Amino acid sequence: MFENLIEVLKANPRKIVYTEGPDARILSSAARLKKEGFLTPILVGNVEEVKAAAEKGGFDIEGLEILDPKTYDRMEEMVQTMVALRKGKMSEEDCRAALQKGNYFGTMLVKMGVADALLGGATYSTADTVRPALQLVKTRKGANLVSSCFILVKEGAPMLCMGDCAINIDYQDTVDKEGNVILPAAAKLAEVAIETAKTAKVFGMDPKVAMLSFSTKGSGKGASVDLVRNATAIAKEKAPELMLDGEMQFDAAVAPEVGQLKFPGSKVAGYANTFIFPEIQSGNIGYKIAQRLGGYAAFGPILQGLNAPINDLSRGCNAEEVYQMSIITAALA
């Protein structure tokens, strides 16, 4: 997988900004990328602090751009741009204070075109990475929400994709002040399915999308089954070109002898490689079972629906994971 993504980046040079420049894991990845030359890192932080941390860890970052919010020569432009983007929700003083933080500063570097992509979260929480992205980069036209997926890779096995396992706790109708439904919960889940299939294609997969449930083709009843069934119908209408089916149980999704018995005629049942969970709890459990018991390496969460590639690291990540997520994030640009 990574060989293919690196070839993409060699043909399409990109810059990625790291919001936590002095972190040793970030510096390790930056030094490695500098040496390999297919992706250009930008480090956020105090120049002397970043250089000292690099020297202490033995990381060669000579020549890499280090941008400090306190001395950035385009800060006034950045502040005014952010004030305009926040449309009265934050004062100039509030914006100036926020931009002293690496997460907001780095996100504005992407918004202003200084960098093509952003990777954060080595020390920031997921919320602290996603919030500036929603406020400044925002969702792209036609997207109603930000979601995520994980790419799962195992030697000798087909690549898998699972979503949403990290962002949306569950799916509820969005209503206006009068209580009218303006975005049904099922439409949100359908959007996650379509976006996850798009991400799977970026990684060279031919997505066969299973909308997961405890029910297969009407065998169970209840609100959660209705949610998945309705989302399946919406996704099929919006993206008829996708191989997508549901609702189905996991065994029906992956085992042909079960899938074709319980869901005869489905082109997905028994052959799925892209799995859409009905809420975050089952999604998080599901990908971690694949990772810990199934022996898959899990890459993500990969954020979907934003105007630019911005991804979140686990605070428990190691340098290799930072390097891998850097390649994934930049390739999405």
Side-chain angles (χ1 to χ4, degrees):
M1 178 179 82
F2 286 101
E3 289 81 359
N4 293 336
L5 296 179
I6 287 169
E7 289 305 312
V8 168
L9 290 170
K10 284 180 178 177
N12 302 275
R14 293 288 184 261
K15 291 184 177 182
I16 186 167
V17 59
Y18 291 119
T19 58
E20 297 130 314
D23 188 279
R25 297 162 294 178
I26 299 296
L27 290 166
S28 174
S29 176
R32 186 172 172 184
L33 290 170
K34 176 206 165 187
K35 182 178 180 181
E36 293 172 348
F38 60 83
L39 176 59
T40 302
I42 298 172
L43 298 162
V44 173
N46 175 272
V47 175
E48 296 306 317
E49 184 181 346
V50 172
K51 287 183 175 179
E55 185 176 354
K56 180 180 178 181
F59 305 119
D60 178 15
I61 61 166
E62 185 66 33
L64 290 187
E65 199 169 12
I66 305 170
L67 298 180
D68 183 351
K70 290 182 171 59
T71 59
Y72 187 53
D73 59 3
R74 295 179 64 186
M75 180 54 75
E76 286 306 314
E77 176 189 355
M78 185 177 278
V79 169
Q80 296 308 317
T81 302
M82 183 171 171
V83 169
L85 288 167
R86 297 301 291 134
K87 296 180 180 178
K89 294 178 182 177
M90 293 175 72
S91 67
E92 182 175 324
E93 184 179 344
D94 292 336
C95 291
R96 195 178 301 279
L99 288 168
Q100 295 305 304
K101 301 173 184 176
N103 56 341
Y104 274 94
F105 180 73
T107 304
M108 279 301 300
L109 290 176
V110 174
K111 180 64 180 178
M112 294 170 67
V114 178
D116 301 294
L118 177 147
L119 188 59
T123 59
Y124 286 113
S125 68
T126 296
D128 285 336
T129 300
V130 174
R131 189 183 304 109
L134 286 171
Q135 292 175 348
L136 305 175
V137 170
K138 304 185 180 182
T139 53
R140 69 172 179 267
K141 186 177 180 180
N144 295 295
L145 74 166
V146 173
S147 62
S148 75
C149 71
F150 282 82
I151 300 293
L152 291 100
V153 179
K154 180 180 178 180
E155 188 173 352
M159 194 181 302
L160 305 177
C161 188
M162 294 184 175
D164 178 353
C165 307
I167 299 295
N168 294 288
I169 302 298
D170 58 17
Y171 301 94
Q172 303 289 334
D173 293 341
T174 299
V175 298
D176 62 19
K177 292 179 181 179
E178 286 73 42
N180 301 306
V181 176
I182 55 176
L183 183 64
K188 296 178 183 179
L189 183 58
E191 185 173 320
V192 172
I194 294 168
E195 289 297 320
T196 301
K198 289 178 182 177
T199 302
K201 288 179 181 179
V202 171
F203 292 91
M205 294 176 61
D206 180 17
K208 297 177 179 64
V209 185
M211 305 293 286
L212 296 178
S213 171
F214 70 86
S215 166
T216 298
K217 203 179 182 184
S219 66
K221 298 187 184 301
S224 63
V225 176
D226 292 342
L227 169 69
V228 179
R229 186 178 299 135
N230 293 338
T232 301
I234 294 169
K236 284 184 172 184
E237 182 180 349
K238 289 192 171 183
E241 74 284 356
L242 277 182
M243 290 185 66
L244 178 148
D245 225 335
E247 86 284 1
M248 67 181 74
Q249 294 157 289
F250 190 79
D251 58 348
V254 298
E257 67 277 12
V258 178
Q260 292 304 305
L261 176 66
K262 290 186 173 184
F263 211 137
S266 171
K267 294 180 180 180
V268 172
Y271 307 102
N273 58 13
T274 302
F275 306 95
I276 307 303
F277 294 88
E279 32 66 39
I280 196 174
Q281 181 166 251
S282 56
N284 187 272
I285 292 168
Y287 99 80
K288 287 185 177 178
I289 288 174
Q291 183 183 34
R292 299 299 176 179
L293 297 184
Y296 280 84
F299 300 101
I302 299 165
L303 300 187
Q304 305 171 148
L306 291 166
N307 269 314
I310 290 176
N311 277 327
D312 177 48
L313 293 162
S314 164
R315 279 173 283 181
C317 66
N318 57 39
E320 179 67 17
E321 289 167 334
V322 175
Y323 172 78
Q324 291 168 337
M325 280 301 295
S326 300
I327 295 170
I328 288 170
T329 303
L332 292 169

